[in-house]
Amino acid sequence: MAGRVRENGDSRLTGRGRATRERILTAAADMMYVKGVALTTLDDVRAASGTSKSQLYRHYPDKDALMRDVVALRAAEVLERQHQHLQRLSSFRGLERWRDALIERNALHNGAYGCPLGSLASELADQDEEVRRAMARHFAAWEGLLEAGLARMRDSGVLRADADVSGLATGLMAALQGGYLLAQTARDVEPMRIALDMAIAHVKAHAAPAGEAPPEVGAGVR
């Protein structure tokens, strides 16, 4: 995964060089998730990755460059997991399984560190415009996976034909990110569970009446 973060910079690296850069990036991503970006120094990353100062600065001349690759790495990891969970979403039970997977993963640390992507956004969105724009794209992609699943539910007759799948996806994402934050401050995933349950209940309120036929292909239902 890390080797795909900066493809343009990989072409002239040896295998050993790519391994060193990946080790640096992985160490930085782990430390920034646990300690936060502001409290993670390049010296911390150097020590954690077992690299020399010259090796570190050869790959990352400053913290900003490292931080941007950490954002790209975390986004790739999060979106890959979300794609696995949401690519076949087509039912309310599928939404509940998605919720359960998120909560179970966050419960590993009692919700202590928040969303791997959202925690970075909260620290960096006001500090670096390039990172803010990248974050916006990543969250839009995540929300798009939800919207696509809800659209399948609408098109198959699980949701009403007039269901606003874009708005419902935004509501689910807002509940998820708010739930992450509440779980982080409480050190308890129960607030996250409640927030997601309420958002899913709102989606269920748009269920198609029993016996309602799904819209015909090409009927123009959005």
Side-chain angles (χ1 to χ4, degrees):
M1 183 74 69
R4 296 199 296 270
V5 174
R6 295 198 310 169
E7 294 177 352
N8 292 337
D10 282 351
S11 59
R12 289 178 293 179
L13 288 177
T14 64
R16 180 176 295 181
R18 282 192 293 272
T20 299
R21 186 168 65 79
E22 182 171 348
R23 192 166 70 250
I24 293 168
L25 185 55
T26 299
D30 290 344
M31 295 192 76
M32 288 181 183
Y33 182 47
V34 174
K35 296 179 62 175
V37 176
L39 295 180
T40 298
T41 67
L42 289 180
D43 281 342
D44 292 333
V45 174
R46 181 181 57 76
S49 60
T51 53
S52 67
K53 187 170 290 188
S54 62
Q55 285 177 312
L56 175 63
Y57 283 101
R58 183 179 307 125
H59 293 284
Y60 293 103
D62 55 43
K63 187 175 176 180
D64 286 346
L66 179 57
M67 175 190 70
R68 289 176 185 139
D69 269 10
V70 166
V71 169
L73 173 65
R74 283 302 185 213
E77 292 172 344
V78 168
L79 290 174
E80 183 174 318
R81 283 196 301 271
Q82 290 303 296
H83 178 73
Q84 291 170 358
H85 288 299
L86 296 171
Q87 63 181 328
R88 294 186 180 86
L89 174 65
S90 59
S91 67
F92 293 125
R93 182 63 192 125
L95 269 181
E96 291 165 351
R97 286 195 294 268
W98 169 75
R99 172 207 60 198
D100 292 344
L102 287 164
I103 291 172
E104 286 171 11
R105 186 177 184 87
N106 203 30
L108 294 175
H109 302 288
N110 294 321
Y113 307 126
C115 173
L117 198 54
S119 58
L120 288 171
S122 66
E123 282 198 78
L124 301 176
D126 293 332
Q127 298 180 25
D128 188 304
E129 180 61 16
E130 179 182 335
V131 168
R132 186 200 65 76
R133 289 196 300 267
M135 287 289 190
R137 291 193 300 271
H138 300 322
F139 278 110
W142 192 347
E143 191 172 318
L145 292 171
L146 282 166
E147 182 175 343
L150 294 170
R152 286 190 292 273
M153 293 169 66
R154 179 199 60 196
D155 296 344
S156 65
V158 175
L159 293 174
R160 296 198 311 264
D162 64 350
D164 176 8
V165 295
S166 177
L168 292 174
T170 298
L172 285 167
M173 181 59 73
L176 172 59
Q177 293 303 318
Y180 267 124
L181 178 59
L182 292 175
Q184 185 177 12
T185 55
R187 295 295 191 271
D188 183 354
V189 296
E190 189 59 23
M192 180 181 181
R193 186 189 308 277
I194 291 170
L196 285 171
D197 282 350
M198 291 183 70
I200 291 173
H202 181 64
V203 175
K204 289 179 178 179
H206 293 75
E212 181 177 295
E216 296 180 7
V217 175
V221 177
R222 295 181 55 127

